[in-house]
Amino acid sequence: SFAFRRNDTSETDTTLTFQYGETLGNWSNLTIGAAGGTDAASGVIVEVSENGTAPDDITIRVPRNSRPALFGRLRAAEKP
């Protein structure tokens, strides 16, 4: 799993994209929204624990299946 904390203001100010893949050169993208859920196509699960005014706890679970390796990273981009 991949976990991080998100400030409430960043929900509207930034676009968060979780990227994962078997190599460091080929990534699948999943945009992280305000709420959690499951991506039906990939089976990736995003859990969002709202903590009031404190930063939210975000956990992302990617099914490993038969992949020999699995890498993940988080991209954050400020919205224009």
Side-chain angles (χ1 to χ4, degrees):
S1 65
F2 183 89
F4 64 97
R5 301 190 84 191
R6 174 183 65 193
N7 287 330
D8 289 336
T9 55
S10 72
E11 288 182 38
T12 56
D13 295 349
T14 60
T15 299
L16 297 176
T17 305
F18 178 69
Q19 297 181 308
Y20 61 96
E22 293 180 38
T23 69
L24 296 176
N26 188 20
W27 299 100
S28 296
N29 296 310
L30 182 67
T31 301
I32 307 301
T38 301
D39 181 63
S42 65
V44 175
I45 299 169
V46 178
E47 297 172 345
V48 177
S49 296
E50 292 283 344
N51 295 322
T53 58
D56 303 332
D57 293 311
I58 313 291
T59 302
I60 302 168
R61 300 184 196 289
V62 180
R64 183 144 184 195
N65 300 330
S66 61
R67 297 177 179 129
L70 185 60
F71 301 94
R73 66 183 180 183
L74 182 68
R75 294 189 64 183
E78 188 175 3
K79 290 182 180 176

